[in-house]
Amino acid sequence: MKLLFLDLDGTLLNDDKEINSEDMAAIDEMIAKGHKVIINTGRPLYSTMGIAEKFGFIRDGFYLSVFNGGLVYNPVTKEKLKNDTLSEEIVRYLLDEAYKMGLHAHTYIDDHVVSERDTEELNFYSERIKMPKLVVKDFSSVTKGQAPKVIIISLKGKEYLQEYRDKLEPFEKKNGLYSTFSDARLLEYANPLANKGEAIRFLANYLSVDMKDTVAAGDEENDLPMIQAAGTGVCMRNGVDSLKEAADYITKRTNNEGGIKEIIDRFILC
């Protein structure tokens, strides 16, 4: 049995947020032969379940790793297998520092994006991931003591987020946080165990699969931990240069051209 870990946006999903028919056929074939597919995404569970329902992934053979590996979920049994979060004190600091720099920041509960400010960035993000927003005076009134992650958003350019990241580097190191860009507009902060590489190690152990039999594919900076952790790390042809440099293989096809079928044929059904 082999495990295939797939990022969503820019990897499994094409630019129209659909799955190419040849990619879907290849996924069905590998599942039928006893292998497993793990959606390994920065998206929240609510949003990822919408994708899973749409494409028929709520069945044996599929697992969901969301919040960049912070939460690993069995969509059939509805069991949370791994759940690593941030304290409210950490979240409070990240939000307040973002506000000081004029940046939007939010966190989550299971079924809503939670923000203390109703902003253009919040509406952009909520629409992008198809998850409803909840605007509250104080995020801690709804998060019950912990939160999965914090996202800082800038629609004006990555340099504004990089400035924030640089400023908070000492705080990040002191508290052992994990930060990554999931998009040029999205900077994420999470528990250090909430990364896509940890999700691979966890599920390989949980399913008693040797790490050499794990394959991971992505396109962005937040995919780097899983590209490095997997037995075979693959970067999509449309991926960022830093990921291509770390990958064992770069697809000849993009996410719009059957790149997932290429990976399955070469590394899973070989």
Side-chain angles (χ1 to χ4, degrees):
M1 178 173 66
K2 294 183 180 181
L3 306 181
L4 176 60
F5 293 78
L6 297 174
D7 172 54
L8 282 177
D9 301 290
T11 303
L12 176 59
L13 300 180
N14 61 27
D15 292 349
D16 294 323
K17 304 303 179 186
E18 299 290 336
I19 299 178
N20 295 347
S21 59
E22 59 184 324
D23 290 340
M24 195 69 244
I27 288 172
D28 285 338
E29 182 179 358
M30 67 168 282
I31 292 294
K33 292 184 177 179
H35 306 293
K36 298 188 185 300
V37 170
I38 299 91
I39 303 303
N40 206 6
T41 178
R43 289 185 183 225
L45 180 59
Y46 180 94
S47 173
T48 308
M49 280 294 288
I51 297 291
E53 290 169 354
K54 178 178 180 179
F55 295 109
F57 294 166
I58 303 179
R59 54 186 163 110
D60 289 340
F62 289 89
Y63 289 87
L64 307 180
S65 169
V66 301
F67 293 125
N68 285 323
L71 172 61
V72 176
Y73 187 75
N74 184 326
V76 176
T77 65
K78 298 181 170 39
E79 181 183 3
K80 292 181 179 180
L81 305 176
K82 172 183 182 291
N83 191 20
D84 298 298
T85 59
L86 293 175
S87 70
E88 286 187 346
E89 291 77 14
I90 296 290
V91 174
R92 178 77 273 157
Y93 186 86
L94 294 172
L95 296 184
D96 287 344
E97 290 301 306
Y99 300 157
K100 290 176 184 177
M101 296 181 65
L103 296 170
H104 168 83
H106 68 247
T107 187
Y108 307 82
I109 54 175
D110 284 348
D111 53 0
H112 283 81
V113 181
V114 177
S115 176
E116 296 176 342
R117 302 182 179 187
D118 196 357
T119 65
E120 176 187 1
E121 291 84 357
L122 174 64
N123 292 321
F124 153 78
Y125 183 83
S126 177
E127 174 59 29
R128 172 186 167 130
I129 67 167
K130 306 303 179 188
M131 187 171 183
K133 65 182 182 180
L134 177 63
V135 180
V136 295
K137 185 176 180 180
D138 184 342
F139 79 91
S140 65
S141 65
V142 295
T143 52
K144 299 179 181 178
Q146 56 187 8
K149 70 176 179 179
V150 169
I151 287 191
I152 319 297
I153 300 180
S154 172
L155 301 180
K156 297 183 293 184
K158 187 176 182 178
E159 63 269 22
Y160 294 94
L161 296 176
Q162 189 59 56
E163 181 182 355
Y164 176 93
R165 193 184 200 184
D166 292 343
K167 179 183 176 183
L168 265 71
E169 184 178 1
F171 179 81
E172 179 180 346
K173 288 183 177 179
K174 177 182 177 181
N175 292 278
L177 302 179
Y178 168 69
S179 71
T180 188
F181 282 96
S182 55
D183 181 292
R185 297 161 293 186
L186 307 176
L187 174 61
E188 309 193 7
Y189 284 85
N191 184 296
L193 294 177
N195 70 71
K196 294 186 179 187
E198 290 295 336
I200 290 182
R201 285 184 279 270
F202 173 83
L203 271 170
N205 179 67
Y206 180 80
L207 296 170
S208 299
V209 173
D210 195 297
M211 286 293 289
K212 69 179 177 58
D213 291 322
T214 63
V215 180
D219 70 306
E220 260 292 352
E221 180 186 304
N222 65 323
D223 297 314
L224 183 59
M226 73 168 176
I227 294 299
Q228 295 173 326
T232 303
V234 180
C235 181
M236 304 300 290
R237 180 182 168 187
N238 50 285
V240 298
D241 289 343
S242 59
L243 200 67
K244 289 178 179 177
E245 292 172 4
D248 299 307
Y249 179 77
I250 302 169
T251 62
K252 296 178 175 60
R253 301 181 184 183
T254 69
N255 63 313
N256 294 315
E257 302 167 335
I260 300 306
K261 173 177 167 53
E262 178 184 340
I263 294 167
I264 292 172
D265 287 347
R266 186 179 182 94
F267 299 110
I268 305 295
L269 300 178
C270 53

